Amino acid sequence: MDSVITLEHVQKRFGTYIAVHEAHFDIGKGEFFSMLGPSGCGKTTTLRMIAGFEQPDSGRILLEGQDVSRVPPYRRNVNTVFQHYALFPHMTVRDNVAFGPRSRKLEEAEVQKRVKELLEVTRLNQFAERKPAQLSGGQQQRVALARALVNYPSALLLDEPLGALDLKLRQAMQIELKRIQREVGITFIYVTHDQEEALTMSDRIAVMNEGRVEQIGTPEEIYHSPSTVFVAGFIGVANLLPARVIGLMDNRAVVTLAGEQRAEATAPGWAAKPGSDATLMVRPERLRLSADGPGVAATLTTAVFQGPVVRCLLATPDGVEVIAHVGSEGPRPDLQPGRSYRLLWDADSARLLPRAKASAPLDLQERTTLDLAGSH
Amino acid sequence: MAGIAAGGGRRSPVAPYLLVAPGVLWLLAFYVVPTVTLARTSFGPADAAWYDGYQRAFTVYGVHLGRSFGYALAATLVCVLLGYPLAYAIAFRAGKYKNFLLGLVILPFFTTFLVRTFAWKTILNDGGIVVQVLGTIGMLPEEGRLLNTVWAVIGGLSYNFLPFMILPIYVSLEKIDRKLTEAANDLYCNAGQAFRKVVLPLSMPGVLAGSLLTFIPATGDFINAELLGSPNQKMLGSVIQGQFLQVRDYSLAASLSFVLMVIITIMVLLYARALGTEDLA
C-alpha cells in the first residue's frame, strides 16, 4: 500500500504538557483512517500537525514522500473539515466551495466545473445560492465537505465533523461520508471520540490515549485483539479480570484468577515472566453462564431482557463487576438475581493484557454502560 | 404548551402598544415636534422669499458647507486608518490585555470633550514642543504653525471621534470566528489573503457603523474648528451656532441645519449601499 502520510517520531508539547508523544505511523492511499480517543488524547493535535496549523517539536511529517513539517497550511495539499464547519458566512454555498480553487488562481471555467461536480457529489445543487446561515446542520456539514474536496487534496482531514449533529443525522452522515469517500477515492483522516463512528467507517483505527498511540489496526483487530486494557475498554464493553500468569506456551497463557481459579487465555507476543500480574479480558458476548460445574463463581445482580440477548450483570466474590450477554433463545440457566452462577469462556475468546496502571477512564466507561442498562 | 397558549389568549391586545408608547411619545416630543418647528422656521420671516435661507446656505455659506464635509470626510478617513489596526490588534493580538486596552480607548471620555480639545490648544501651541520638533525635522506645514490651521482642526476631529470608530470595528472583529482564518489558510490563502477575503469583509459592518458615528457628528461639530482653527477653518456648525445665538437669524440657521441633515442622510445612504450593508443602515 502506498502511503500518503507518514509520521516519523512526531512529538508535540505545549509548555510542559506533552500533547503528542512519539506518533509514528503511515496512512495509506485511499484509506479511511480514524484517530480515536477521549478528549485530550492528542488526536486533534496530531490532525492539526498534519494540516499545518501546528508544528511538531521533533520528528517529521511526510506528505507523499515530501517533508512538510515546516510547510505552512496554505502550501500543503491537504484540506480540513472543521468541527464547527467554519464556513464563510458572507459567501454563498457556491462561493464557499469555489474559495480554494480561486485562491489557487485556477481558470474560472475549471473552478466552475469542479464546483458543479462537488455540489453534485454532496447533493447541494439546489442550495448553491444560499448563505450558510440558511442551511441546516447536515447541509452545512456537506458544504464543508465539498469546500475541502473541491481542491482534490492528497488527504482530507476531518475533525469530529459529526459532533454537532443529532444522533439520527449523525448516523445518516456516517453512511454519506463513507459513500463520498468511496466515490472520490481520497484518503480520509478522521478524528473522533465516538468508538461506534470509528468502527462503522474506518479501514483502520489508531486508538490514542494521553498523547500516545495505543494500537493501530482494522476495526476487527481492535475489537477482538486489543493490545492494552485501555483499548479493550474504550472499544466496546470489556470484562477485565485481575490475573496472575502461571505459565506461557505458544501464544497461550495459563493464569490464576481471584480465588485460585485457573483459566486460559490467548497471549500473542506475551513475554512476561510467570508470576507477574496481568489482566484477562473477555467480551460479554463470549461469556457463558451455567448454574453449576466448573468456571468462575459470580453472583447475578440483574438480568435485563434486551431482545436478542439477556444482559446479565454479575459480581465476583472479590467485587469485580462482570457483564455477560446470554442469548435470549436456546439453552440458558434460569436467571435469578442473588443466585450464584459459573462463568465460562473459550480460551480463544479471552486475551491476556498487561495490567493497567490507572483505569479511571475504563471505570467511567463501564459505569456508563451499567447505568444505561439499569435505566432500561 | 396549552398553558402558554391560554396565557397568550388572555393577554391584552393593547399591551404591545403600551410598551412602545414611551418611546413613541419621546420621539414625538423631542424629535418630530422640533423638526417640524425647525422646518417652519427655515421657511423664513414674512419679509423675504420662503427659500431665502436655503439660497444663502448654498451661496454665502457654500464654502462652510463644503469645508464641513471635507473636514469630516478627512477625519473619518484618518479615524479608519488609525482605528482599524488598533481595533484589530486589540481583538486578535491583545490576549489578556484586551480589557485593559479597551479601557484605555474609553478613558478620554472621563474628561469632557471641551477640556480635551482645550488641551490640544496647549499641545499644538506655536511655542510648544510639537511645533519645535516638527520644525526641526522640517515637517511643519507651510503656515509655519499648527494651531489655527486646517491640520489642527482635522486632527482635533480625528482625536475626538477616534473611540467611536475603534469600538464598533472592535466589536465586529471580535465576533469573527478564529477558525475562519484557519479555514482560509487551509484553502491556500496566506495571512494577507485571508485578511482581505475573510476578515475585512466580515468587519465591514463595524467600519460602516464607526464611519457613521464619526462622520455625522464631525460634520456638525463646531468646537474643534472654534478652538483649534482660525476663521478660515470655520465649519457650518459654527455658522449655525452663531446665527442662532448671536446674529439671531433663525430662518437662516434653520435652513442651514436642514441642508446639513439632508446632505448627511443622502451621503450615508450612498455609503451604506457602496459597502453592501444596507440591512445595517
Side-chain angles (χ1 to χ4, degrees), chain B residues 84-148:
Chain B
Y84 198 102
L86 198 59
Y88 184 89
I90 297 175
F92 286 99
R93 300 269 185 268
K96 59 178 176 174
Y97 297 109
K98 196 179 273 184
N99 287 331
F100 174 71
L101 291 173
L102 281 176
L104 288 186
V105 169
I106 302 166
L107 197 62
F109 289 125
F110 287 91
T111 316
T112 128
F113 186 74
L114 214 55
V115 171
R116 282 182 282 133
T117 311
F118 257 113
W120 277 103
K121 230 176 143 77
T122 318
I123 297 167
L124 301 178
N125 203 6
D126 286 348
I129 184 138
V130 177
V131 170
Q132 280 178 20
V133 170
L134 288 181
T136 317
I137 59 171
M139 290 269 294
L140 219 51
E142 51 191 80
E143 294 93 329
R145 59 190 302 203
L146 282 174
L147 206 59
N148 296 342

Side-chain angles (χ1 to χ4, degrees), chain B:
Chain B
M1 277 311 276
I4 294 168
R10 273 197 302 274
R11 194 174 292 152
S12 156
V14 297
Y17 298 101
L18 285 177
L19 288 172
V20 296
V24 169
L25 288 176
W26 175 276
L27 283 176
L28 267 178
F30 298 107
Y31 184 74
V32 177
V33 172
T35 307
V36 171
T37 315
L38 195 69
R40 279 177 51 191
T41 313
S42 78
F43 294 131
D47 58 340
W50 66 269
Y51 52 81
D52 178 62
Y54 289 96
Q55 197 173 30
R56 281 192 287 159
F58 285 104
T59 52
V60 185
Y61 298 103
V63 56
H64 299 96
L65 196 61
R67 201 180 277 150
S68 288
F69 286 109
Y71 289 2
L73 275 176
T76 307
L77 194 67
V78 171
C79 284
V80 172
L81 293 179
L82 288 178
Y84 198 102
L86 198 59
Y88 184 89
I90 297 175
F92 286 99
R93 300 269 185 268
K96 59 178 176 174
Y97 297 109
K98 196 179 273 184
N99 287 331
F100 174 71
L101 291 173
L102 281 176
L104 288 186
V105 169
I106 302 166
L107 197 62
F109 289 125
F110 287 91
T111 316
T112 128
F113 186 74
L114 214 55
V115 171
R116 282 182 282 133
T117 311
F118 257 113
W120 277 103
K121 230 176 143 77
T122 318
I123 297 167
L124 301 178
N125 203 6
D126 286 348
I129 184 138
V130 177
V131 170
Q132 280 178 20
V133 170
L134 288 181
T136 317
I137 59 171
M139 290 269 294
L140 219 51
E142 51 191 80
E143 294 93 329
R145 59 190 302 203
L146 282 174
L147 206 59
N148 296 342
T149 67
V150 54
W151 309 109
V153 178
I154 293 174
L157 286 170
S158 307
Y159 161 75
N160 275 310
F161 293 107
L162 187 58
F164 296 104
M165 181 65 81
I166 294 173
L167 295 177
I169 297 180
Y170 166 79
V171 170
S172 68
L173 285 170
E174 174 67 25
K175 276 194 306 197
I176 298 174
D177 183 359
R178 301 297 185 273
K179 289 276 176 206
L180 293 181
T181 318
E182 256 181 22
N185 291 151
D186 190 62
L187 296 164
Y188 312 102
C189 284
N190 61 30
Q193 291 163 326
F195 173 77
R196 195 165 47 77
K197 292 170 92 169
V198 176
V199 177
L200 188 61
L202 286 174
S203 62
M204 275 335 246
V207 174
L208 174 72
S211 302
L212 298 185
L213 288 177
T214 306
F215 179 73
I216 296 172
T219 312
D221 182 77
F222 64 94
I223 301 284
N224 286 283
E226 290 277 305
L227 294 183
L228 304 175
S230 70
N232 287 334
Q233 279 82 45
K234 204 167 185 181
M235 291 168 70
L236 203 63
S238 304
V239 178
I240 294 172
Q241 190 232 11
Q243 292 298 331
F244 263 128
L245 300 181
Q246 279 129 40
V247 185
R248 301 191 182 226
D249 185 343
Y250 295 134
S251 156
L252 175 64
S255 307
L256 290 171
S257 303
F258 260 98
V259 168
L260 200 58
M261 271 197 276
V262 168
I263 298 180
I264 287 176
T265 310
I266 293 170
M267 291 184 76
V268 163
L269 289 177
L270 289 177
Y271 182 65
R273 177 159 298 180
L275 286 190
T277 38
E278 294 94 332
D279 41 334
L280 187 119

Side-chain angles (χ1 to χ4, degrees), chain A residues 48 53 74 77 79-80 82 86-88 90 99 103-104 147 151, chain B residues 179-180 182-190 193 197-198 201-202:
Chain A
R48 289 175 60 81
F53 300 128
Y74 54 89
N77 196 26
N79 293 104
T80 307
F82 292 87
L87 300 177
F88 302 122
H90 56 303
F99 191 92
S103 299
R104 290 166 120 182
R147 187 181 67 173
N151 306 294
Chain B
K179 289 276 176 206
L180 293 181
E182 256 181 22
N185 291 151
D186 190 62
L187 296 164
Y188 312 102
C189 284
N190 61 30
Q193 291 163 326
K197 292 170 92 169
V198 176
L202 286 174

Side-chain angles (χ1 to χ4, degrees), chain A residues 202-281:
Chain A
S202 318
D203 296 318
R204 281 195 306 154
I205 301 172
V207 183
M208 295 184 70
N209 183 34
E210 294 178 345
R212 285 168 205 274
V213 176
E214 298 250 337
Q215 188 175 2
I216 297 181
T218 65
E220 280 196 33
E221 286 166 3
I222 298 270
Y223 184 78
H224 289 304
S225 319
S227 58
T228 66
V229 167
F230 176 81
V231 174
F234 199 77
I235 313 278
V237 181
N239 293 304
L240 301 164
L241 304 169
R244 171 159 292 151
V245 182
I246 303 176
L248 283 160
M249 201 174 56
D250 298 339
N251 289 343
R252 184 158 290 210
V254 179
V255 299
T256 53
L257 301 172
E260 298 306 309
Q261 179 70 48
R262 279 190 178 225
E264 277 186 50
T266 55
W270 190 260
K273 280 197 277 297
S276 59
D277 283 336
T279 300
L280 185 139
M281 189 286 291

